[in-house]
């Protein structure tokens, strides 16, 4: 499923806000974080993940160290797992 719920949209808002350029794609769960999608640099992604940790009171260390974050949906799922969901 490629539709984002409210929590997913909140994650997208942080990711898009960290981009140093206009985001010109429709953002869905399957949207890549880097090439062909949000075009986030590794630094932009790390800043966004730190902001998500602070805003949502979660720890994404495992997801970050496993480098499993390739799409918006991956970040949403990492946040959900960190929230115990």
């Amino acid at each position: 499923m490629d539709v984002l719920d409210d929590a997913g949209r909140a994650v997208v808002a942080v990711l898009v806000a960290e981009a140093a350029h206009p985001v010109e794609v429709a953002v869905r769960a399957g949207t890549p974080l880097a090439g062909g999608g949000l075009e986030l640099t590794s630094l932009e992604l790390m800043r966004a993940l730190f902001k998500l940790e602070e805003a949502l009171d979660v720890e994404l260390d495992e997801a970050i160290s496993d480098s499993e974050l390739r799409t918006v949906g991956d970040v949403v799922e990492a946040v959900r797992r960190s929230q115990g969901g």
Side-chain angles (χ1 to χ4, degrees):
M1 179 183 248
D2 208 30
V3 178
L4 296 167
D5 60 11
D6 288 341
R9 286 190 289 276
V11 169
V12 168
V14 171
L15 292 172
V16 169
E18 278 306 309
H21 51 82
V23 174
E24 298 182 4
V25 296
V27 181
R28 295 183 165 69
T31 302
L33 296 171
L38 296 180
E39 304 292 341
L40 293 171
T41 65
S42 57
L43 179 59
E44 291 167 342
L45 178 58
M46 292 306 294
R47 279 195 313 240
L49 295 174
F50 290 136
K51 284 188 177 185
L52 285 169
E53 286 183 324
E54 289 177 5
L56 302 175
D57 194 28
V58 296
E59 290 188 28
L60 301 173
D61 296 340
E62 185 177 319
I64 294 168
S65 65
D66 289 346
S67 299
E68 63 185 46
L69 306 176
R70 291 183 184 85
T71 67
V72 170
D74 293 340
V75 176
V76 172
E77 286 304 312
V79 167
R80 287 187 180 135
R81 283 193 307 272
S82 294
Q83 292 174 325

